[in-house]
């Protein structure tokens, strides 16, 4: 009886340990940083190893010590003491590793179930119908052309990353994202590591997004199987953390932007963080983007109601001494349309969209709406070295509150709280290690921005300063 209990307890401990080592969702191959690999080692371990890496067999050795201690207790102690130790070990692993991994597992299952696959198929049909309309004007938007081009681009990028061919990557990837990737290549090479990526079969490509407003862009959902590992200076292979083999499966959303008559990669979003693409606006032509047209109409209306230059804005409101900043703005909007709440909504939404684009892509749109210091604080909060970046994916403006207004300032200023919903996390730019937040969880947070009134009718308000975000959930 005692022997059966011992065997069962050891089996349970092994099962829990395997659960702790269960693989997480694979990150993207090309463009990935050093974070997320484990195994191998230099000189018996990675002294001062990189973010997200574990020294050669460090976790395995720790597990060996744990199991050795348990076996020693089993052989030399009493059965009750052994069971207590087993119980403590099981409880530790369940709460430390098992629960979070099971949560991620069920989240992934919910995203891959019949309902989710049905949603993706419906989305793809809708986008392909819209793309067929755009293809009448330009064949580059044809569904078959986009899928073929995206599959070829995916394959070319994996080969270029595997070969560390920076010139090829610059040709295939938009400049903003290429800059981020080169930082990761530099960090890998500084370690003497070579991230090898080899295709296993053809990628599956689904056409799930098209938007033609300021620029031509499409979104594809890619699923693929790859061999993804690192070779160190000694020629040893380092697998991704939690992976028992070098094979990984990835699911990514790729945003492609047009460059002449071909597509280049503008940004990559991993699985969950890219799911907003399944509900984003579908706009096969510039005039079909109703939100964009509405915003333009609002700004044109505000420009038509602007007071003459040099007008004392503070003297236009009878409630200028009121503590209610929103009431003051509404009062001012009767004389100057730039203070209307819908104008503020347009400014905030444009800023949030430009902020998300600047994470991987160009900062140009964000620079048009924010001062340089505000741009740095939005992208690299509290980090003058800019070694970290704040990643925001699929942000949606939920509420705007006017908390302060100074119409007497030159120029007039307004401080607003913008409540945003989306995925947000802080990342090391060199290693891609997540330092705070989570790419797998939608969060609610509030940004406090101070805006200044500009003379540009197409962009009445500009972000002058940014305060630290305030978490609300």
């Amino acid at each position: 009886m005692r022997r059966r209990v011992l065997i069962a307890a050891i089996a349970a401990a092994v099962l829990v340990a395997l659960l702790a080592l269960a693989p997480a969702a694979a990150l993207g191959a090309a463009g990935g940083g050093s974070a997320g690999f484990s195994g191998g080692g230099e000189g018996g371990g990675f002294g001062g190893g990189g973010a997200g890496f574990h020294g050669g067999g460090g976790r395995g050795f720790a597990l060996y010590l744990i199991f050795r201690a348990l076996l020693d207790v089993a052989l030399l102690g009493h059965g009750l003491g052994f069971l207590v130790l087993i119980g403590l070990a099981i409880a530790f692993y369940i709460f430390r590793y098992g629960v979070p991994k099971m949560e991620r597992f069920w989240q992934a299952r919910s995203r891959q179930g019949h309902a989710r696959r049905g949603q993706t198929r419906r989305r793809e049909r809708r986008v392909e119908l819209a793309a067929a309309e755009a293809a009448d004007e330009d064949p580059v938007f044809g569904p078959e052309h986009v899928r073929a081009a995206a599959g070829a681009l995916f394959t070319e990028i994996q080969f270029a990353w595997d070969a560390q061919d920076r010139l090829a990557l610059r040709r295939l990837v938009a400049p903003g994202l290429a800059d981020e990737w080169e930082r990761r290549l530099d960090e890998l090479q500084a370690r003497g590591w070579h991230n090898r990526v080899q295709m296993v079969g053809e990628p599956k490509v689904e056409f799930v997004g098209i938007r033609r407003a300021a620029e031509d862009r499409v979104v594809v959902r890619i699923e693929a199987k790859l061999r993804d590992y690192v070779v160190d200076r000694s020629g040893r292979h380092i697998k991704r953390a939690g992976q028992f083999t070098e094979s990984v499966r990835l699911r990514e959303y790729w945003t492609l932007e047009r460059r002449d008559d071909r597509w280049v990669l503008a940004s990559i979003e991993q699985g969950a963080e890219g799911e907003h693409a399944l509900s984003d606006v579908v706009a096969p032509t510039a005039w079909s983007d109703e939100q964009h047209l509405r915003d333009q109409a609002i700004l044109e209306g505000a420009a038509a109601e602007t007071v003459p230059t040099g007008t004392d804005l503070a003297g236009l409101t009878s409630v200028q001494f009121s503590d209610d900043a929103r009431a003051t703005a509404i009062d001012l909007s009767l004389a100057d349309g730039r203070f209307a709440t819908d104008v503020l909504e347009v400014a905030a939404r444009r800023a949030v969209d430009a902020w998300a684009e600047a994470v991987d892509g160009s900062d140009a749109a964000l620079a048009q709406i924010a001062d340089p210091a505000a741009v740095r604080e939005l992208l690299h909060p509290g980090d003058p070295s800019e070694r970290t970046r704040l990643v925001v994916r699929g942000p949606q403006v939920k509420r705007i509150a006017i908390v302060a207004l100074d119409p007497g300032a030159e120029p007039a200023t307004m401080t607003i709280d913008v409540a945003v919903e989306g995925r947000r996390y802080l990342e090391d730019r060199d290693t891609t290690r997540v330092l705070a937040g989570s790419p797998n969880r939608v969060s609610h947070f509030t940004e406090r921005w101070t805006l200044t009134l500009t003379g540009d009718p197409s962009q009445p308000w500009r972000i002058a300063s940014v305060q630290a975000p305030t978490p609300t959930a």
Side-chain angles (χ1 to χ4, degrees):
M1 179 66 180
R2 182 175 179 180
R3 182 178 180 182
R4 287 198 298 270
V5 171
L6 175 62
I7 293 173
I10 292 177
V14 171
L15 179 61
V16 172
L18 290 176
L19 178 62
L21 294 173
L27 298 175
S34 59
F37 289 91
S38 65
E42 296 178 44
F46 297 110
F53 286 80
H54 306 283
R59 174 181 280 186
F61 184 66
L63 289 175
Y64 165 76
L65 292 179
I66 291 173
F67 286 125
R68 178 59 185 269
L70 292 173
L71 289 173
D72 286 345
V73 171
L75 294 174
L76 303 176
H78 298 287
L80 181 60
F82 173 76
L83 291 177
V84 169
L85 287 177
I86 285 292
L88 291 174
I90 291 175
F92 171 78
Y93 277 113
I94 287 176
F95 285 102
R96 179 66 177 85
Y97 299 107
V99 171
K101 286 184 178 292
M102 288 302 295
E103 287 179 350
R104 290 195 293 271
F105 171 78
W106 286 113
Q107 287 173 0
R109 285 292 300 270
S110 68
R111 294 192 295 269
Q112 296 173 355
H114 292 294
R116 177 63 68 179
R117 288 194 294 271
Q119 178 188 2
T120 303
R121 285 194 296 269
R122 288 191 298 272
R123 173 71 178 192
E124 188 175 26
R125 285 194 295 269
R126 181 187 173 196
V127 169
E128 288 187 353
L129 288 173
E133 178 184 354
D136 291 338
E137 177 185 332
D138 191 335
V140 76
F141 293 101
E144 292 301 325
H145 183 278
V146 168
R147 279 196 295 268
L153 182 64
F154 178 84
T155 302
E156 286 184 77
I157 286 176
Q158 307 309 317
F159 277 113
W161 180 268
D162 180 73
Q164 299 180 331
D165 188 342
R166 300 186 184 218
L167 289 178
L169 289 173
R170 282 283 176 183
R171 179 176 56 83
L172 301 168
V173 178
L177 184 58
D179 291 341
E180 296 297 320
W181 283 18
E182 289 202 355
R183 291 181 67 106
R184 299 165 195 174
L185 284 173
D186 289 342
E187 199 270 342
L188 286 165
Q189 289 180 349
R191 297 176 180 279
W193 287 4
H194 184 180
N195 182 198
R196 305 306 306 267
V197 178
Q198 296 152 4
M199 300 280 295
V200 179
E202 295 296 321
K204 177 184 177 183
V205 180
E206 296 168 304
F207 190 4
V208 297
I210 179 172
R211 189 164 188 176
R212 302 178 65 194
E215 53 193 350
D216 293 336
R217 289 193 168 187
V218 297
V219 180
V220 293
R221 183 179 185 268
I222 296 181
E223 293 185 4
K225 184 177 181 181
L226 306 152
R227 289 186 64 207
D228 183 14
Y229 58 95
V230 161
V231 179
D232 67 9
R233 287 191 177 94
S234 302
R236 288 173 290 190
H237 288 202
I238 305 172
K239 296 184 288 292
R240 283 197 172 273
Q243 293 286 346
F244 292 106
T245 70
E246 295 172 354
S247 296
V248 299
R249 291 185 179 274
L250 61 80
R251 184 183 72 258
E252 297 178 335
Y253 291 85
W254 282 33
T255 298
L256 312 182
E257 66 180 27
R258 187 174 179 178
R259 183 179 293 173
D260 299 325
D261 290 328
R262 62 188 180 90
W263 297 102
V264 298
L265 176 62
S267 70
I268 293 181
E269 294 172 294
Q270 307 293 335
E273 65 179 3
E275 287 181 353
H276 63 87
L278 299 179
S279 56
D280 285 348
V281 171
V282 176
T285 60
W287 50 263
S288 64
D289 191 339
E290 295 179 0
Q291 184 67 67
H292 181 70
L293 294 176
R294 175 181 176 273
D295 290 350
Q296 283 187 321
I298 289 173
L299 296 181
E300 289 171 0
E305 298 175 358
T306 301
V307 298
T309 303
T311 301
D312 179 13
L313 291 172
L316 293 177
T317 174
S318 60
V319 292
Q320 62 213 49
F321 300 110
S322 171
D323 291 333
D324 189 346
R326 183 175 184 274
T328 305
I330 292 173
D331 193 52
L332 275 171
S333 70
L334 299 176
D336 191 324
R338 295 174 297 179
F339 288 86
T341 55
D342 54 359
V343 173
L344 288 179
E345 178 189 344
V346 173
R349 190 169 54 249
R350 283 186 171 182
V352 167
D353 289 344
W355 184 21
E357 179 181 344
V359 170
D360 286 334
S362 171
D363 299 353
L366 188 57
Q368 290 176 357
I369 202 171
D371 291 345
V375 171
R376 285 194 299 272
E377 191 61 24
L378 285 169
L379 297 178
H380 316 287
D383 181 10
S385 69
E386 299 185 4
R387 294 195 61 180
T388 61
R389 66 173 187 165
L390 187 63
V391 180
V392 286
R393 304 293 192 190
Q396 299 290 326
V397 175
K398 293 300 182 180
R399 184 179 59 84
I400 300 172
I402 302 172
V403 296
L405 174 62
D406 186 358
E410 187 56 43
T413 64
M414 186 183 304
T415 300
I416 61 175
D417 279 353
V418 184
V420 184
E421 177 184 277
R423 300 176 193 271
R424 183 187 65 159
Y425 55 97
L426 190 67
E427 180 180 75
D428 185 300
R429 295 176 70 189
D430 296 335
T431 67
T432 70
R433 181 167 67 98
V434 175
L435 305 174
S438 171
N440 300 316
R441 184 179 66 252
V442 174
S443 62
H444 300 78
F445 56 96
T446 300
E447 292 285 323
R448 175 162 290 186
W449 298 338
T450 296
L451 312 178
T452 58
L453 195 60
T454 74
D456 183 358
S458 66
Q459 188 57 58
W461 293 97
R462 184 177 180 85
I463 303 175
S465 65
V466 174
Q467 298 184 19
T470 305
T472 58

